[in-house]
Amino acid sequence: MSLKVGVVGGGQLARMMIAPAVELGIEIEVLAEQESMSASLAATQVGDYHDAEVVLSFARDVDVITFDHEHVPQDVLSALVDAGVAVHPGPAALGIAQDKLVMRARLAELGMPQPDWAAVSGTAELQEFLDAHGGRAVVKTPRGGYDGKGVRVISAATEAEDWFAALAEDARGGALLVEELVDFSRELAQQVARRPSGEIAVYPVAETVQREGVCAEVIAPAPHASDRLSSVAGEIGRAIAEGLGVTGMLAVELFETTDERLLINELAMRPHNSGHWSQDGAVTGQFEQHLRAVLDLPLGDTSARAGWSMMVNILGGPQRDSLESRFAAVMTEHPAAKIHTYGKEPRPGRKVGHVTVSGDDLDDVAYQARAAASHFED
């Protein structure tokens, strides 16, 4: 009888778990939010992940439940655990990923390096933080933000008045997260995987390039990364995975500062855009690794297959025709490029796929990856 993994959420991350599951002979089932989502190939149920009965019904005959995103409510996660379902990552770890204020507090308890931050409940507190940090700061909604959403760079507390008003209206109170505006030279991402039994595997640290708050490119390993930087990034990822009890894939987004420090920006407890390079560029890609980890199977080799790998996101896609209509030109001109599409209709700004290229000459790898991805844009 084969192992069976249930994935809550029908997006592209669930979709990209399907191929390695098939290769391993693992059965994968998906609870999709609606019909025709990215992971519809494996969708065995469509329903609301906020509804405990729906999720419990879905989980009835799988060996483990894992996730395409971190948004499943805590009461639903607790109901799964109470029913004896193996849930990875578990409710405690996901709770930290779900709330940025909780994340900052727990990372502080672990002694992890991060920007100065505060929980602020009104404009007076926010202005006080601004005054103490050079008059500019980053303010974030604690829950729900991604790809630049729920994040603002401000120079006056009044710029967050609408968010404070929304907090007051939801009758639960709460606070916003404000962070110092970090003077960074670049952004990095450290992927690690951890099994429930404790084994950890660390990937090469990667450099990420953001455009308008959305990840556009990833290079692995990060160019010009010293042995010390790579070691420290790996130690941070390992310490967070162990300290927070993460099971499955963990992505730690980092700032490398102009004075050569590493500060933690965000966490993701699942496969992550910054790890897509590993699908073709590492011995064990992050999606196979996630399946191994949540099933508590031995973890795979994380070594890079070539000197360099680059991932370029396809953002928006062609508006005049389909992604598939561009395949022939891309494959002819860039035969080394690996194309991954998400089964999504093109729409301005939407992540509809990505391209990866690996090789031993970084300039050529970067040219091939960018040129291949550009074929999909009008």
Side-chain angles (χ1 to χ4, degrees), residues 280-305:
D280 307 302
V283 175
T284 309
Q286 66 167 344
F287 296 98
E288 177 185 337
Q289 195 80 286
H290 186 72
L291 294 172
R292 289 185 183 218
V294 301
L295 286 164
D296 206 16
L297 294 170
L299 300 179
D301 186 346
T302 58
S303 301
R305 289 184 179 275

Short mmCIF file of all heavy atoms in Angstrom, two decimals, residues 280-305:
data_model
loop_
_atom_site.label_atom_id
_atom_site.label_comp_id
_atom_site.label_asym_id
_atom_site.label_seq_id
_atom_site.Cartn_x
_atom_site.Cartn_y
_atom_site.Cartn_z
N ASP A 280 15.53 21.92 -10.68
CA ASP A 280 16.43 21.43 -11.72
C ASP A 280 17.89 21.61 -11.34
O ASP A 280 18.76 20.98 -11.94
CB ASP A 280 16.15 22.18 -13.03
CG ASP A 280 14.69 22.10 -13.43
OD1 ASP A 280 14.18 20.98 -13.59
OD2 ASP A 280 14.05 23.17 -13.54
N GLY A 281 18.18 22.46 -10.34
CA GLY A 281 19.55 22.81 -10.03
C GLY A 281 20.16 22.08 -8.86
O GLY A 281 21.37 22.19 -8.63
N ALA A 282 19.37 21.34 -8.07
CA ALA A 282 19.90 20.60 -6.93
C ALA A 282 19.66 19.11 -7.12
O ALA A 282 18.77 18.70 -7.86
CB ALA A 282 19.25 21.08 -5.64
N VAL A 283 20.45 18.31 -6.45
CA VAL A 283 20.27 16.86 -6.53
C VAL A 283 18.86 16.48 -6.07
O VAL A 283 18.19 15.65 -6.69
CB VAL A 283 21.33 16.14 -5.68
CG1 VAL A 283 21.06 14.63 -5.66
CG2 VAL A 283 22.74 16.42 -6.22
N THR A 284 18.39 17.13 -5.00
CA THR A 284 17.03 16.90 -4.50
C THR A 284 16.31 18.24 -4.48
O THR A 284 16.67 19.14 -3.71
CB THR A 284 17.03 16.31 -3.09
OG1 THR A 284 17.90 15.17 -3.05
CG2 THR A 284 15.62 15.89 -2.68
N GLY A 285 15.30 18.39 -5.32
CA GLY A 285 14.54 19.63 -5.36
C GLY A 285 13.69 19.81 -4.12
O GLY A 285 13.38 18.84 -3.41
N GLN A 286 13.28 21.05 -3.87
CA GLN A 286 12.56 21.34 -2.63
C GLN A 286 11.20 20.64 -2.54
O GLN A 286 10.73 20.34 -1.44
CB GLN A 286 12.37 22.85 -2.46
CG GLN A 286 11.47 23.52 -3.48
CD GLN A 286 11.08 24.93 -3.08
OE1 GLN A 286 11.22 25.33 -1.92
NE2 GLN A 286 10.58 25.72 -4.03
N PHE A 287 10.57 20.35 -3.66
CA PHE A 287 9.25 19.71 -3.60
C PHE A 287 9.36 18.23 -3.23
O PHE A 287 8.57 17.72 -2.43
CB PHE A 287 8.50 19.92 -4.91
CG PHE A 287 8.20 21.37 -5.17
CD1 PHE A 287 9.01 22.12 -6.00
CD2 PHE A 287 7.15 21.99 -4.52
CE1 PHE A 287 8.76 23.47 -6.21
CE2 PHE A 287 6.89 23.34 -4.71
CZ PHE A 287 7.70 24.09 -5.55
N GLU A 288 10.34 17.53 -3.80
CA GLU A 288 10.60 16.16 -3.35
C GLU A 288 11.04 16.16 -1.89
O GLU A 288 10.60 15.31 -1.09
CB GLU A 288 11.69 15.50 -4.20
CG GLU A 288 12.03 14.09 -3.71
CD GLU A 288 13.18 13.45 -4.45
OE1 GLU A 288 13.47 13.84 -5.60
OE2 GLU A 288 13.80 12.53 -3.87
N GLN A 289 11.90 17.12 -1.53
CA GLN A 289 12.41 17.17 -0.16
C GLN A 289 11.28 17.40 0.83
O GLN A 289 11.26 16.81 1.92
CB GLN A 289 13.44 18.30 -0.05
CG GLN A 289 14.30 18.24 1.19
CD GLN A 289 15.42 17.24 1.07
OE1 GLN A 289 15.17 16.03 1.13
NE2 GLN A 289 16.65 17.71 0.91
N HIS A 290 10.33 18.25 0.46
CA HIS A 290 9.20 18.51 1.36
C HIS A 290 8.39 17.23 1.59
O HIS A 290 8.01 16.94 2.74
CB HIS A 290 8.30 19.60 0.77
CG HIS A 290 7.20 20.04 1.69
ND1 HIS A 290 7.44 20.79 2.82
CD2 HIS A 290 5.86 19.81 1.67
CE1 HIS A 290 6.29 21.02 3.45
NE2 HIS A 290 5.32 20.42 2.76
N LEU A 291 8.15 16.48 0.53
CA LEU A 291 7.42 15.21 0.68
C LEU A 291 8.19 14.24 1.57
O LEU A 291 7.61 13.60 2.45
CB LEU A 291 7.17 14.59 -0.69
CG LEU A 291 6.22 15.36 -1.62
CD1 LEU A 291 6.22 14.73 -3.01
CD2 LEU A 291 4.80 15.40 -1.05
N ARG A 292 9.49 14.12 1.34
CA ARG A 292 10.30 13.25 2.20
C ARG A 292 10.19 13.69 3.66
O ARG A 292 10.02 12.86 4.56
CB ARG A 292 11.77 13.33 1.77
CG ARG A 292 12.13 12.69 0.45
CD ARG A 292 13.64 12.76 0.29
NE ARG A 292 14.14 12.24 -0.97
CZ ARG A 292 15.27 11.56 -1.09
NH1 ARG A 292 16.01 11.31 -0.02
NH2 ARG A 292 15.68 11.12 -2.26
N ALA A 293 10.32 15.00 3.87
CA ALA A 293 10.36 15.51 5.25
C ALA A 293 9.05 15.27 5.98
O ALA A 293 9.04 14.79 7.12
CB ALA A 293 10.71 17.00 5.23
N VAL A 294 7.91 15.60 5.35
CA VAL A 294 6.64 15.47 6.07
C VAL A 294 6.27 14.01 6.30
O VAL A 294 5.51 13.70 7.23
CB VAL A 294 5.49 16.23 5.36
CG1 VAL A 294 5.84 17.71 5.25
CG2 VAL A 294 5.15 15.64 4.00
N LEU A 295 6.80 13.10 5.48
CA LEU A 295 6.58 11.67 5.68
C LEU A 295 7.63 11.05 6.59
O LEU A 295 7.62 9.86 6.84
CB LEU A 295 6.58 10.95 4.33
CG LEU A 295 5.34 11.15 3.47
CD1 LEU A 295 5.60 10.72 2.03
CD2 LEU A 295 4.14 10.40 4.05
N ASP A 296 8.56 11.89 7.09
CA ASP A 296 9.65 11.45 7.96
C ASP A 296 10.52 10.39 7.29
O ASP A 296 10.97 9.43 7.92
CB ASP A 296 9.11 10.94 9.31
CG ASP A 296 10.16 11.07 10.42
OD1 ASP A 296 11.15 11.81 10.22
OD2 ASP A 296 9.99 10.44 11.48
N LEU A 297 10.78 10.61 6.00
CA LEU A 297 11.71 9.76 5.25
C LEU A 297 13.09 10.44 5.23
O LEU A 297 13.20 11.65 5.38
CB LEU A 297 11.21 9.58 3.81
CG LEU A 297 9.90 8.81 3.65
CD1 LEU A 297 9.40 8.92 2.21
CD2 LEU A 297 10.09 7.35 4.04
N PRO A 298 14.16 9.65 5.05
CA PRO A 298 15.49 10.26 4.98
C PRO A 298 15.55 11.37 3.93
O PRO A 298 15.01 11.23 2.83
CB PRO A 298 16.40 9.08 4.61
CG PRO A 298 15.67 7.89 5.15
CD PRO A 298 14.21 8.17 4.96
N LEU A 299 16.22 12.46 4.28
CA LEU A 299 16.28 13.61 3.40
C LEU A 299 17.32 13.42 2.30
O LEU A 299 18.29 12.69 2.46
CB LEU A 299 16.59 14.87 4.20
CG LEU A 299 15.56 15.21 5.30
CD1 LEU A 299 15.97 16.46 6.06
CD2 LEU A 299 14.16 15.37 4.71
N GLY A 300 17.10 14.09 1.17
CA GLY A 300 17.97 13.94 0.02
C GLY A 300 19.12 14.92 0.01
O GLY A 300 19.14 15.91 0.74
N ASP A 301 20.07 14.64 -0.87
CA ASP A 301 21.26 15.48 -1.06
C ASP A 301 20.83 16.86 -1.57
O ASP A 301 20.08 16.97 -2.55
CB ASP A 301 22.17 14.79 -2.07
CG ASP A 301 23.52 15.46 -2.26
OD1 ASP A 301 23.69 16.61 -1.82
OD2 ASP A 301 24.40 14.83 -2.88
N THR A 302 21.30 17.93 -0.93
CA THR A 302 20.94 19.29 -1.33
C THR A 302 21.99 19.95 -2.21
O THR A 302 21.88 21.13 -2.54
CB THR A 302 20.73 20.15 -0.07
OG1 THR A 302 21.93 20.13 0.71
CG2 THR A 302 19.57 19.64 0.76
N SER A 303 23.02 19.22 -2.60
CA SER A 303 24.10 19.81 -3.39
C SER A 303 23.61 20.33 -4.73
O SER A 303 22.68 19.77 -5.34
CB SER A 303 25.20 18.77 -3.66
OG SER A 303 25.74 18.27 -2.46
N ALA A 304 24.24 21.41 -5.19
CA ALA A 304 23.94 21.94 -6.52
C ALA A 304 24.48 21.01 -7.58
O ALA A 304 25.55 20.41 -7.43
CB ALA A 304 24.55 23.33 -6.67
N ARG A 305 23.75 20.87 -8.70
CA ARG A 305 24.17 20.01 -9.80
C ARG A 305 25.20 20.69 -10.70
O ARG A 305 25.91 20.03 -11.46
CB ARG A 305 22.95 19.64 -10.65
CG ARG A 305 21.98 18.68 -9.98
CD ARG A 305 20.87 18.30 -10.96
NE ARG A 305 19.93 17.36 -10.38
CZ ARG A 305 20.09 16.03 -10.38
NH1 ARG A 305 21.19 15.51 -10.90
NH2 ARG A 305 19.18 15.25 -9.85
#
